[in-house]
Amino acid sequence: VQLQASGGGLVQAGGSLGLSCAASGRTFGSYDMGWFRQSPGKEREFVAAISWSSFNVFYAGSVKGRFTISRDNAKNTAYLQMSSLKPEDTAVYYCAAVTKYNSGTYYSPRKYNIWGQGTLVTVSS
């Protein structure tokens, strides 16, 4: 599986933006997916994750209630819908994948072994 993130851009505080992560290959439905973000000078941080079946979803506390992760296995795509954006949400957003057989914690970037190239989200105040 290879991942291609898209949808980043410039948005005003309070606005909304949707990110997509398109996966190549025919086994996307066997992968857990995660979104992470990284700002200059900061470590990569967990944003949201969704299990292969969409049964389990997880959010960082800082985005819970504002962001929604979803996936469409028929379209080989994962999504991150972001609303009520804040300047502190400014970062490069990465999607990541790992097979469903991996038992690592969803919140850790070490769980994931496939990463997209990142898409920049800038929230102006």
Side-chain angles (χ1 to χ4, degrees):
V1 168
Q2 291 183 317
L3 305 176
Q4 179 76 33
S6 62
L10 174 64
V11 62
Q12 288 189 332
S16 299
L17 201 61
L19 304 183
S20 297
C21 178
S24 64
R26 294 176 292 178
T27 59
F28 176 74
S30 297
Y31 286 79
D32 295 332
M33 299 295 297
W35 285 95
F36 291 78
R37 66 187 182 188
Q38 189 166 19
S39 304
K42 294 186 177 181
E43 293 186 354
R44 191 166 298 189
E45 66 170 348
F46 170 77
V47 176
I50 187 167
S51 63
W52 64 276
S53 64
S54 302
F55 184 80
N56 294 306
V57 294
F58 305 91
Y59 295 97
S62 60
V63 308
K64 198 169 186 178
R66 300 189 298 122
F67 290 12
T68 301
I69 189 171
S70 62
R71 66 189 296 160
D72 186 336
N73 288 345
K75 294 183 178 179
N76 282 9
T77 304
Y79 305 95
L80 185 69
Q81 181 63 39
M82 306 181 292
S83 61
S84 302
L85 283 161
K86 305 174 182 179
E88 51 264 43
D89 294 318
T90 295
V92 176
Y93 283 70
Y94 298 89
C95 58
V98 67
T99 66
K100 64 182 182 180
Y101 305 107
N102 184 290
S103 60
T105 176
Y106 283 88
Y107 302 90
S108 172
R110 291 188 293 274
K111 171 182 174 69
Y112 305 88
N113 60 347
I114 303 169
W115 292 83
Q117 84 290 0
T119 184
L120 176 63
V121 173
T122 304
V123 184
S124 64
S125 57

